[in-house]
PDB file of all heavy atoms in Angstrom:
ATOM      1  N   LEU A 489       2.952  11.110  -5.967  1.00  0.00           N
ATOM      2  CA  LEU A 489       3.714  11.682  -7.088  1.00  0.00           C
ATOM      3  C   LEU A 489       2.774  12.157  -8.175  1.00  0.00           C
ATOM      4  O   LEU A 489       3.011  13.172  -8.786  1.00  0.00           O
ATOM      5  CB  LEU A 489       4.676  10.599  -7.638  1.00  0.00           C
ATOM      6  CG  LEU A 489       5.910  10.331  -6.772  1.00  0.00           C
ATOM      7  CD1 LEU A 489       6.652   9.171  -7.179  1.00  0.00           C
ATOM      8  CD2 LEU A 489       6.758  11.524  -6.608  1.00  0.00           C
ATOM      9  N   LEU A 490       1.727  11.337  -8.544  1.00  0.00           N
ATOM     10  CA  LEU A 490       0.857  11.812  -9.514  1.00  0.00           C
ATOM     11  C   LEU A 490       0.186  13.056  -9.177  1.00  0.00           C
ATOM     12  O   LEU A 490       0.087  14.008  -9.957  1.00  0.00           O
ATOM     13  CB  LEU A 490      -0.279  10.708  -9.710  1.00  0.00           C
ATOM     14  CG  LEU A 490       0.157   9.490 -10.501  1.00  0.00           C
ATOM     15  CD1 LEU A 490      -1.018   8.430 -10.540  1.00  0.00           C
ATOM     16  CD2 LEU A 490       0.434   9.820 -11.912  1.00  0.00           C
ATOM     17  N   ALA A 491      -0.273  13.196  -7.917  1.00  0.00           N
ATOM     18  CA  ALA A 491      -0.986  14.326  -7.408  1.00  0.00           C
ATOM     19  C   ALA A 491       0.044  15.536  -7.404  1.00  0.00           C
ATOM     20  O   ALA A 491      -0.374  16.647  -7.774  1.00  0.00           O
ATOM     21  CB  ALA A 491      -1.552  14.082  -6.112  1.00  0.00           C
ATOM     22  N   GLY A 492       1.188  15.335  -6.885  1.00  0.00           N
ATOM     23  CA  GLY A 492       2.124  16.456  -6.753  1.00  0.00           C
ATOM     24  C   GLY A 492       2.657  16.988  -8.070  1.00  0.00           C
ATOM     25  O   GLY A 492       2.880  18.158  -8.205  1.00  0.00           O
ATOM     26  N   PHE A 493       2.815  16.184  -9.065  1.00  0.00           N
ATOM     27  CA  PHE A 493       3.321  16.651 -10.311  1.00  0.00           C
ATOM     28  C   PHE A 493       2.224  16.763 -11.419  1.00  0.00           C
ATOM     29  O   PHE A 493       2.471  17.317 -12.398  1.00  0.00           O
ATOM     30  CB  PHE A 493       4.387  15.602 -10.835  1.00  0.00           C
ATOM     31  CG  PHE A 493       5.618  15.759  -9.975  1.00  0.00           C
ATOM     32  CD1 PHE A 493       5.875  14.770  -9.051  1.00  0.00           C
ATOM     33  CD2 PHE A 493       6.532  16.675 -10.206  1.00  0.00           C
ATOM     34  CE1 PHE A 493       6.970  14.745  -8.317  1.00  0.00           C
ATOM     35  CE2 PHE A 493       7.697  16.700  -9.419  1.00  0.00           C
ATOM     36  CZ  PHE A 493       7.873  15.762  -8.447  1.00  0.00           C
ATOM     37  N   GLY A 494       0.996  16.213 -11.076  1.00  0.00           N
ATOM     38  CA  GLY A 494      -0.046  16.287 -12.061  1.00  0.00           C
ATOM     39  C   GLY A 494       0.036  15.288 -13.177  1.00  0.00           C
ATOM     40  O   GLY A 494       1.166  14.710 -13.363  1.00  0.00           O
ATOM     41  N   PHE A 495      -0.974  15.027 -13.868  1.00  0.00           N
ATOM     42  CA  PHE A 495      -0.873  14.128 -14.995  1.00  0.00           C
ATOM     43  C   PHE A 495      -0.069  14.550 -16.178  1.00  0.00           C
ATOM     44  O   PHE A 495       0.447  13.840 -16.987  1.00  0.00           O
ATOM     45  CB  PHE A 495      -2.359  13.640 -15.510  1.00  0.00           C
ATOM     46  CG  PHE A 495      -2.989  12.748 -14.674  1.00  0.00           C
ATOM     47  CD1 PHE A 495      -4.145  13.114 -13.875  1.00  0.00           C
ATOM     48  CD2 PHE A 495      -2.545  11.508 -14.476  1.00  0.00           C
ATOM     49  CE1 PHE A 495      -4.785  12.134 -13.096  1.00  0.00           C
ATOM     50  CE2 PHE A 495      -3.109  10.534 -13.643  1.00  0.00           C
ATOM     51  CZ  PHE A 495      -4.223  10.888 -12.954  1.00  0.00           C
ATOM     52  N   GLY A 496       0.026  15.851 -16.341  1.00  0.00           N
ATOM     53  CA  GLY A 496       0.718  16.435 -17.492  1.00  0.00           C
ATOM     54  C   GLY A 496       2.150  16.799 -17.297  1.00  0.00           C
ATOM     55  O   GLY A 496       2.625  17.747 -17.894  1.00  0.00           O
ATOM     56  N   ALA A 497       2.886  16.158 -16.350  1.00  0.00           N
ATOM     57  CA  ALA A 497       4.258  16.547 -16.083  1.00  0.00           C
ATOM     58  C   ALA A 497       5.160  16.464 -17.295  1.00  0.00           C
ATOM     59  O   ALA A 497       4.971  15.619 -18.102  1.00  0.00           O
ATOM     60  CB  ALA A 497       4.804  15.617 -14.932  1.00  0.00           C
ATOM     61  N   VAL A 580       6.876  12.375 -14.104  1.00  0.00           N
ATOM     62  CA  VAL A 580       5.802  11.420 -13.904  1.00  0.00           C
ATOM     63  C   VAL A 580       4.926  11.355 -15.081  1.00  0.00           C
ATOM     64  O   VAL A 580       4.304  12.325 -15.548  1.00  0.00           O
ATOM     65  CB  VAL A 580       4.939  11.800 -12.663  1.00  0.00           C
ATOM     66  CG1 VAL A 580       3.810  10.769 -12.454  1.00  0.00           C
ATOM     67  CG2 VAL A 580       5.863  11.910 -11.420  1.00  0.00           C
TER      68      VAL A 580
END
Side-chain angles (χ1 to χ4, degrees):
L489 287 171
L490 283 174
F493 292 98
F495 279 117
V580 177

